[in-house]
Structures are given as C-alpha cells and as structure tokens.
Amino acid sequence: MGFPGTWMTESESVVYRVVPKCACSTIGQIMYYSDHGTFFDGDIHDAEDGLHKWARAESQPLINANVKTHQSFAFTCVRNPYTRILSSFFDKICGIQRNGKRYRGNLVPLLIQKYGIEVGDPESGFEFDQIKSFRRFLLFVRDTVRWRRPMDPDIHWSAMSGHVSTFIVNGGQYDRIFWTETFDKGMQQVLDAIEVPHKVTLKDIPRFNESEGHGPKRAHPVEDYFDDLSMHLIKEIYHRDFNLFKYDFNDPSNKMPIGEIDLDEIHAKLGA
C-alpha cells in the first residue's frame, strides 16, 4: 500500500503525512519554501514538482526508502473534530471549488435529493439554514463512514486517525504530532528539529487557506450546530480522534485540546 498522502521535501529534510482540513496548505508551502526560498505559485496541492508526493510515481521510491528506514523527521498535524467537520461542510459541500464548480460533480445534487440539504449559491449570498443543513450532512457522513453508502467516505471527513494510521501500519514512525489550534508552537518544534536549505521565520509566513472565500461564512458559534443527536453521530464517527488527539468531546465550544498527545499510545493503537 505504501504511504498515501505523504509529502517529503526534495532535500529530504522532513516527511509529512497530510491530514485534510488540518492546515495542510500552509504546511506544504512551508516545506516548499524551506527547500526553494520561495512559495509555490498557486495551491500547493497542484504542485507537480518541487515537493515529493506519494501521488507522483517518481516520488514513491524515494519516500518509501526514507520512511521505511526513518531517515528524516516525520510529523503530522490534527484538528478538533467539531471544527474540522464544519470546515469540510462549508468548503466542500457549500463552497464553489477553485475550478469554478461544485465539489465532486454530482455530490451536492445527490445530497440535495437524498438528504434534503440546502447549500445556497453565490448569487443569493449563500443564504440558507446552515444548522439544519449541516445536521443533515452529518447523517450523510455517518452513512458513508459506517456503511460506505451512498459512497465511500471522502478524505475531507473520514477520521483523522485513519489518515494517521496508514503511515504507521506500513512502516512509518512519527516524531511529532501537533494541533492546528497551536500551530505556530507545533510547527516551530518541527522546524527546530530539522535542518533546511532556507530558514523559515514562522511569523512571516502567510496562512494559505485555499478554501477561504469560495463559500458561505459560518453564521453561528460552533456549538450551535451540534445538538444531542449531532453529538451522538460525531462520537460514533470520530471517537478515536477525540481519544487519541486529546480533544473535548463533551464541549463543542472548546476547540482546544485537554491533554497531551502520547506518541507511544498512537503508534500502539493505530499500528495494530
């Protein structure tokens, strides 16, 4: 199976397992800058050179050899499951993608038809009942995760633990996993642990949020989107994410972690 979703600098200074909706655009640009002294002109996900990616056939032997022997510092970044699933909804379901179209072609019409979801449109200023539609979207997410119907779960809302685990199961080992919520601290710890051709000064790095501005703004506080049933669904889908990455399931308004990530626990539980 190899190492899907894994990126590595061309200098092999660092290896990163991408977790969608967890600052991956910013992290990818930092990696690119650390090698080349400039940012990639465009969405880093579109870069076909300047950064090794498992999706590029020519990169696979290099990534495989590096990760299997743990030659480089390896890390990933995670995010509160409540804010991550909300971000997925507003970006991928409600938003217009960078190609000017809806995400995955017929996905949104399917959700409108089968789940009664509304997404609004740019002409009307994306006006719709966000809370009602989001809760219906959660039913769809649960169906994809639990029964793989009406489709397999998408990478943007499948559990973070699933993404993180493939790296371990196939022979990789993480040196650091940090939280999006304390991004500067976590990313600085990674940069302090590696040597790069071009020095990165985090406070000077812009945030590369490629999904911003393409859809509706969240109109309510996070906790307003989650009633008792929604929280039950969230627990069913993301219980491992809350436990392993130390987030507060009981309080959707608290996006901050409530404990320290235990790398030994993660390797033991996700590597089995």
Side-chain angles (χ1 to χ4, degrees):
M1 184 179 179
F3 300 98
T6 299
W7 294 353
M8 180 175 73
T9 50
E10 289 187 333
S11 64
E12 300 197 23
S13 59
V14 70
V15 171
Y16 164 54
R17 202 315 178 184
V18 177
V19 180
K21 308 306 296 180
C22 299
C24 47
S25 294
T26 298
I27 292 170
Q29 287 281 14
I30 289 172
M31 292 170 65
Y32 190 96
Y33 182 93
S34 74
D35 259 4
H36 306 290
T38 184
F39 296 115
F40 177 71
D41 184 14
D43 187 331
I44 192 66
H45 294 84
D46 296 335
E48 295 186 3
D49 53 49
L51 188 66
H52 288 303
K53 300 177 177 180
W54 187 259
R56 295 172 55 202
E58 65 272 24
S59 294
Q60 290 185 6
L62 294 165
I63 292 174
N64 192 67
N66 185 298
V67 175
K68 285 282 179 68
T69 56
H70 200 185
Q71 290 178 27
S72 302
F73 191 94
F75 77 100
T76 191
C77 179
V78 294
R79 182 180 185 181
N80 184 295
Y82 284 116
T83 56
R84 179 172 177 260
I85 191 63
L86 273 171
S87 176
S88 295
F89 174 68
F90 284 109
D91 173 18
K92 298 302 175 188
I93 305 304
C94 305
I96 306 300
Q97 304 309 297
R98 59 183 184 271
N99 63 5
K101 300 176 181 178
R102 292 285 186 181
Y103 184 58
R104 294 182 66 152
N106 64 354
L107 174 60
V108 171
L110 172 82
L111 290 174
I112 292 170
Q113 179 189 354
K114 286 190 174 294
Y115 291 86
I117 288 174
E118 296 178 338
V119 295
D121 60 71
E123 288 75 32
S124 67
F126 289 107
E127 288 186 11
F128 64 102
D129 188 329
Q130 292 186 357
I131 291 174
K132 184 168 75 173
S133 281
F134 172 73
R135 291 174 181 174
R136 291 181 175 185
F137 168 67
L138 272 187
L139 289 170
F140 162 73
V141 170
R142 190 275 309 269
D143 291 349
T144 66
V145 169
R146 184 158 185 185
W147 294 294
R148 312 189 88 81
R149 294 200 310 256
M151 57 179 275
D152 284 352
D154 185 271
I155 60 170
H156 297 90
W157 55 76
S158 56
M160 295 181 292
S161 51
H163 293 288
V164 172
S165 70
T166 59
F167 190 82
I168 301 169
V169 167
N170 294 311
Q173 183 177 352
Y174 292 103
D175 298 289
R176 176 81 61 189
I177 297 176
F178 64 88
W179 302 293
T180 308
E181 292 78 15
T182 55
F183 181 84
D184 284 357
K185 178 183 177 184
M187 193 69 225
Q188 189 61 58
Q189 289 171 336
V190 172
L191 292 169
D192 289 345
I194 64 176
E195 293 185 15
V196 295
H198 295 272
K199 177 177 170 58
V200 176
T201 305
L202 270 184
K203 64 179 174 58
D204 296 335
I205 301 290
R207 289 295 179 264
F208 292 88
N209 186 352
E210 300 298 343
S211 63
E212 195 167 38
H214 302 300
K217 297 272 189 227
R218 177 162 56 82
H220 310 282
V222 170
E223 59 270 25
D224 286 8
Y225 292 86
F226 299 95
D227 61 359
D228 184 62
L229 175 59
S230 302
M231 290 178 67
H232 175 81
L233 294 174
I234 289 291
K235 190 168 191 176
E236 185 179 340
I237 303 164
Y238 302 118
H239 59 93
R240 290 183 98 187
D241 289 355
F242 284 102
N243 292 335
L244 288 172
F245 306 126
K246 311 304 179 186
Y247 286 107
D248 186 356
F249 165 74
N250 294 308
D251 183 5
S253 70
N254 177 27
K255 70 178 184 179
M256 299 304 290
I258 54 174
E260 293 299 320
I261 289 176
D262 184 335
L263 281 179
D264 290 337
E265 177 191 21
I266 286 172
H267 284 107
K269 290 184 176 176
L270 295 184

